[in-house]
Amino acid sequence: MSNSTGSDVNPSVAGHGEQAQGGSGQGKETEGGESTSGGSSGKTEDQGKGGEKDEDKGTGTGPGTGSGSSADPLATSPVGTAACTADQLGTSGGTTNLPDPSGAVYGTFTFSNVSTADCTVSSPGSVTLATAGAADGKVTDARHVAGDAAAGLPDPAQELTSLVLKPGDSYQVKFAWVPSETCPTTSDPSSGGTGGNDPSPTPTPTEDNAGTTDGTSTGGDTGTTTQLMTEDTTAEGSVTVSNTTEAAGPTASVTVSNACAGIVYWTGVLAGA
């Protein structure tokens, strides 16, 4: 860039050639010690400016590194997307399938973003149980994990720790009712007993009308034919499974009938179908 070949020529670095050339020119215009001092001053100033630029470059790499980490492909929620509120979510309720050969019943809760803004879901919320009849005190719940009895539920690896819902998008929480035993059977008390335990207040028939009284007969019949015709019935039991979103609303519920003892397994957040 310069035809100067003396010892006063500024050995400029890349990116600062223009400043170096100016410093060399000032050195040429004036001869003597003052000129040399001026040239040295110009060089010192140039180095200072260069240092500032180098520092700027170092500062610039900071955000670059941060930006790269935020673009992690495992991230499912962009920075700045607020959590879904109760009024942003709606539900179509819960659904269940028919019992499988083992008696297990699988079901699904579906929730959707009914607002006009994106929002984030980070938890399946809470799952509660309400039992009735023979199921009272015999039903528990557990978080679904790999290898448990609810083999029909999705692999836990498919669950999401965070999911952004655009308007109209949905997510699901699945559950499974796995019975540990069948509902017990009971005898109809109105069918009678073996004698003294019969709760019926009807008096014992006299000998004169014994032949016309139900459950007795004359002759060799023992009169126990009707009493032995008892009918066993299955006890009624059910469990209602409810799922409330992490935003404390809404809630979806479904009732599983013929459920008396067992465990309800439930999943985390799953992408909507």
Side-chain angles (χ1 to χ4, degrees), residues 26-94:
Q26 291 175 3
K28 281 185 175 182
E29 288 176 2
T30 305
E31 296 180 0
E34 184 178 355
S35 168
T36 303
S37 174
S40 299
S41 174
K43 290 179 183 180
T44 302
E45 182 179 355
D46 289 345
Q47 290 174 358
K49 291 181 180 179
E52 292 176 0
K53 289 191 175 182
D54 289 341
E55 183 178 355
D56 291 342
K57 288 181 180 179
T59 304
T61 58
T65 302
S67 174
S69 60
S70 66
D72 188 342
L74 296 178
T76 57
S77 174
V79 176
T81 303
C84 295
T85 59
D87 58 354
Q88 284 184 290
L89 297 174
T91 180
S92 56

Side-chain angles (χ1 to χ4, degrees), residues 79-182:
V79 176
T81 303
C84 295
T85 59
D87 58 354
Q88 284 184 290
L89 297 174
T91 180
S92 56
T95 60
T96 57
N97 299 328
L98 293 174
D100 67 11
S102 69
V105 175
Y106 291 86
T108 303
F109 297 115
T110 302
F111 300 92
S112 302
N113 180 358
V114 296
S115 71
T116 58
D118 295 0
C119 65
T120 303
V121 174
S122 303
S123 164
S126 60
V127 173
T128 57
L129 309 178
T131 58
D136 287 346
K138 297 181 179 180
V139 178
T140 59
D141 69 283
R143 189 74 159 76
H144 172 53
V145 296
D148 63 22
L153 290 178
D155 190 303
Q158 299 181 28
E159 298 176 4
L160 306 173
T161 57
S162 181
L163 176 65
V164 174
L165 296 180
K166 295 185 177 299
D169 286 353
S170 63
Y171 75 92
Q172 296 179 334
V173 175
K174 294 182 178 291
F175 72 91
W177 156 254
V178 180
S180 58
E181 60 184 68
T182 59

Side-chain angles (χ1 to χ4, degrees), residues 253-272:
S253 300
V254 65
T255 299
V256 180
S257 58
N258 195 28
C260 295
I263 302 176
V264 174
Y265 296 92
W266 46 281
T267 71
V269 174
L270 299 167

